[in-house]
């Protein structure tokens, strides 16, 4: 678990592997009964923490302007990470599914006790965030974000994803 500071607010991230209750987590999240509210991201599509922080920054800006596209702050984070303008497609692709076993959990402005409660909800093993790069599915990331090999010759995968997240609304 690691806490990042973004524009005076905090974002706590925790990475889990071997998660075996993703169906229950997804069901309770969709029913609106998940307490505390969190964002569950498909960690195999995350090459580094930086693109998540870029998506979190966009989310906090949208919140400050009162212009969230989705219903909650945490679903907005998943939506902003996706790089797509289609909400349901974004949540399906970059959020967790019934069979997800590799999950990044994110929560804004949380307390240590709330994060401990979240850790109890997830049946899996917490691992260090540094493992994101080595465990990411680079082929899926390239396909999802339409990143060419030529682009990767002059940029990193994380930078290419971050660029797409930052530019989505301008294109």
């Amino acid at each position: 678990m690691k806490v990042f500071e973004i524009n005076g607010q905090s974002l706590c991230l925790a990475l889990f592997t071997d998660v075996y209750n993703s169906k229950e987590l997804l069901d309770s999240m969709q029913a609106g009964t998940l307490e505390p509210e969190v964002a569950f991201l498909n960690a195999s599509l995350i090459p580094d923490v930086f693109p998540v922080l870029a998506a979190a920054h966009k989310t906090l800006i949208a919140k400050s302007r009162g212009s969230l596209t989705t219903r909650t702050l945490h679903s907005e984070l998943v939506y902003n990470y996706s790089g797509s303008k289609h909400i349901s497609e974004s949540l399906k692709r970059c959020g967790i599914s019934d069979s997800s076993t590799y999950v990044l959990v994110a929560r804004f402005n949380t307390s240590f006790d709330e994060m401990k409660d979240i850790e109890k909800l997830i049946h899996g093993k917490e691992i260090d965030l540094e493992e994101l790069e080595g465990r990411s599915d680079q082929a899926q990331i390239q396909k999802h974000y339409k990143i060419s090999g030529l682009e990767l010759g002059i940029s990193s995968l994380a930078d290419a994803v971050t660029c797409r997240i930052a530019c989505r609304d301008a294109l």
Side-chain angles (χ1 to χ4, degrees):
M1 171 178 25
K2 190 167 183 180
V3 179
F4 297 89
E5 188 75 22
I6 304 168
N7 288 351
Q9 299 199 41
S10 66
L11 177 68
C12 187
L13 298 176
L15 183 62
F16 292 88
T17 189
D18 302 326
V19 176
Y20 60 87
N21 69 328
S22 56
K23 180 172 176 24
E24 294 87 33
L25 295 171
L26 184 61
D27 290 345
S28 61
M29 184 177 61
Q30 289 174 337
T33 59
L34 186 66
E35 282 297 323
E37 180 192 316
V38 296
F40 293 118
L41 292 112
N42 177 357
S44 63
L45 293 177
I46 302 173
D48 187 50
V49 172
F50 189 68
V52 177
L53 298 178
H57 184 262
K58 282 185 72 167
T59 299
L60 292 172
I61 288 173
K63 180 188 175 204
S64 72
R65 293 177 178 164
S67 62
L68 291 178
T69 304
T70 64
R71 284 185 276 171
T72 69
L73 185 65
H74 293 91
S75 61
E76 188 81 7
L77 175 61
V78 177
Y79 170 70
N80 281 327
Y81 184 79
S82 76
S84 170
K85 290 186 179 184
H86 302 285
I87 298 170
S88 60
E89 177 190 326
S90 299
L91 298 178
K92 283 179 189 172
R93 186 173 290 172
C94 292
I96 62 170
S97 68
D98 289 351
S99 60
S100 295
T101 59
Y102 185 44
V103 177
L104 181 71
V105 180
R107 173 141 170 92
F108 287 101
N109 303 318
T110 190
S111 68
F112 184 76
D113 291 336
E114 283 178 324
M115 275 315 282
K116 287 298 172 195
D117 290 342
I118 292 165
E119 288 175 359
K120 290 176 190 171
L121 287 173
I122 300 163
H123 300 147
K125 178 184 167 202
E126 185 174 1
I127 58 175
D128 194 75
L129 287 172
E130 300 297 320
E131 295 194 35
L132 274 171
E133 184 177 0
R135 291 175 171 255
S136 65
D137 185 342
Q138 295 193 1
Q140 270 303 108
I141 295 170
Q142 283 180 259
K143 180 181 172 188
H144 174 67
Y145 289 98
K146 298 178 179 77
I147 300 169
S148 69
L150 184 63
E151 182 177 357
L152 290 177
I154 58 169
S155 177
S156 72
L157 187 60
D159 288 345
V161 171
T162 303
C163 180
R164 282 156 176 78
I165 290 168
C167 295
R168 179 190 68 199
D169 297 329
L171 300 175

